[in-house]
Amino acid sequence: MARRCAYRFRLCLTSLFQRPGQGGLQVCPSKDRESQQWTSIEPREEVITCNIGDMLMRWSDDQLPSNFHRVRSPLPGEYQGARYSLAFFCQANE
């Protein structure tokens, strides 16, 4: 069961600060979306996980790819508390 269902971030960038034991983030490159090949992102001390959004992918001329991501529910024995992320919202003029 997912804590947050799969989606692509439409805006620019999300930074996720995780501590060991606070896992659950999984990514799936767009090309693998139909095959559901999810990769878990293991939290590491002093590492900030950055998720590229569609807007930044567009600004970089697809050099920085956006992907589908989700947050799975914690497994027994894993951290059950809140998760925090910092999103940078920036919408360019048309």
Side-chain angles (χ1 to χ4, degrees):
M1 175 180 244
R3 182 183 262 188
R4 175 64 171 101
C5 62
Y7 71 103
R8 279 178 49 176
F9 189 59
R10 299 269 179 224
L11 297 175
C12 190
L13 177 71
T14 302
S15 299
L16 180 62
F17 300 81
Q18 298 182 105
R19 293 188 177 111
Q22 293 182 353
L25 177 64
Q26 297 179 318
V27 297
C28 179
S30 297
K31 64 181 179 175
D32 295 330
R33 176 78 167 113
E34 289 184 24
S35 64
Q36 295 287 309
Q37 294 182 9
W38 293 96
T39 302
S40 292
I41 305 301
E42 295 301 322
R44 293 177 32 201
E45 198 70 44
E46 300 181 13
V47 170
I48 301 169
T49 302
C50 295
N51 189 24
I52 305 297
D54 291 347
M55 183 65 70
L56 189 53
M57 183 172 75
R58 181 177 175 191
W59 287 345
S60 71
D61 197 22
D62 294 345
Q63 296 299 306
L64 300 171
S66 176
N67 60 18
F68 286 93
H69 61 283
R70 67 182 182 186
V71 179
R72 65 164 174 73
S73 292
L75 300 173
E78 289 185 328
Y79 177 75
Q80 302 285 322
R83 295 173 52 90
Y84 299 97
S85 62
L86 174 67
F88 172 66
F89 296 105
C90 181
Q91 183 89 21
N93 293 333
E94 295 181 27

